[in-house]
Amino acid sequence: MLNIEIDNGSGFCFGVTTAIQKAEEELSKGNTLYCLGDIVHNGMECERLRQMGLVTIDHEQMRQLHDVKVLLRAHGEPPETYKMARQNNIEIIDATCPVVLQLQKRIKKQYDMSLTPNTQPIAPQIVIFGKKGHAEVLGLIGQTQSSAIVIESFDEVSRLDFTRDIYLYSQTTKSLDEFHRIIDYIQSHIAGDATFRSFDTICRSVANRMPNISQFATRHDLILFVCGRKSSNGKVLFNECLRVNPNTHLIEGPDEIESSWLKGIRTVGICGATSTPKWLMEQCRDAIKNQQS
């Protein structure tokens, strides 16, 4: 008898859950609602909400809109987006994750301090450990008039100027271990007369998933990691599953499950990213059961 377990710790994080609830609440009123970018990095969940009436737009399309409602997803937006909304009389439904919002405020405060006359002879480097081009990172860079430096990995830290002050922040969903490696490197290379401060801005509800999902992956013969392929967080968690259990497959939905994977398997673990809906993992479980019947 094949045993199938869905990881209780997988599924939407608080920020994504709140954004989707706000969208559903507005759509239930029969109102037209636009969303700036995919509300979540999961194609099937985006399609579900599209069928409810959610219209996904980009920044260029938003510039053409007036007198409408636009939802800002959990990733957050730079100040220019809010300015555009005011100019076009757009009502913003702000679903920015509170963790991201707090990070934006901290970075803006640091940037504003760096502009204060005579505080520092040379402007400090505001450094963000994050994925270039990611929606959250674009929102963070926007707090600094695009002057912040983005490093995607430990390999890029050496290009910083260690003779200047460094203020280090992190995208909320990045690896805690790699963030600490970057801190250690900067501390060992920073010049004696330069200041270095780091701010641990990684979301613990996401960071804690790494050890939990690792333990989950070791308990099963086969792991199906359900995730949209655009999810940065999903890539990190999938790679962790793959590291501890080589018999791990990334799938976007039940249609991608291959029957050959199940041969000789006694236990299957189904898990996913912070952008993976529970209903999608349940569909994958049901698809396996149907194959077995």
Side-chain angles (χ1 to χ4, degrees), residues 93-105:
I93 297 176
D94 201 338
T96 303
C97 172
V99 179
V100 174
L101 194 60
Q102 184 62 28
L103 173 55
Q104 287 183 349
K105 290 177 179 177

Side-chain angles (χ1 to χ4, degrees), residues 121-134:
I122 303 175
Q125 299 163 98
I126 296 177
V127 180
I128 299 168
F129 170 44
K131 182 181 178 183
K132 296 182 180 76
H134 188 280

Side-chain angles (χ1 to χ4, degrees), residues 107-147:
I107 289 177
K108 186 178 189 309
K109 183 179 179 181
Q110 184 63 57
Y111 175 71
D112 290 346
M113 286 175 58
S114 72
L115 299 179
T116 305
N118 302 321
T119 54
Q120 293 157 313
I122 303 175
Q125 299 163 98
I126 296 177
V127 180
I128 299 168
F129 170 44
K131 182 181 178 183
K132 296 182 180 76
H134 188 280
E136 180 187 328
V137 174
L138 293 176
L140 299 178
I141 294 172
Q143 310 303 318
T144 70
Q145 300 290 326
S146 299
S147 66

Side-chain angles (χ1 to χ4, degrees), residues 4 49 52-53 56 60 104 154 179 181 200 212 240 269 280:
I4 307 170
L49 291 167
M52 291 179 64
T56 301
E60 189 56 40
Q104 287 183 349
F154 174 80
F179 183 62
R181 284 183 69 203
D200 185 349
N212 293 340
E240 178 62 15
L280 186 55

Side-chain angles (χ1 to χ4, degrees), residues 3 13-14 17-18 28 50 74 79 97 109 124 152 159 183 187 201 217 221 228 243 254 261 280 283:
N3 178 265
C13 64
F14 170 79
T17 298
T18 301
S28 69
R50 188 192 69 79
C97 172
K109 183 179 179 181
E152 288 199 339
R159 69 184 179 88
I183 290 172
Q187 285 177 333
T201 51
D221 300 330
R243 184 184 70 81
W261 297 344
L280 186 55
Q283 281 189 358

Side-chain angles (χ1 to χ4, degrees), residues 25-46:
E25 184 179 308
E26 192 63 32
L27 291 168
S28 69
K29 301 173 186 175
N31 298 331
T32 298
L33 179 64
Y34 296 89
C35 181
L36 188 54
D38 290 340
I39 193 169
V40 62
H41 288 151
N42 186 279
M44 297 183 75
E45 178 66 9
C46 287

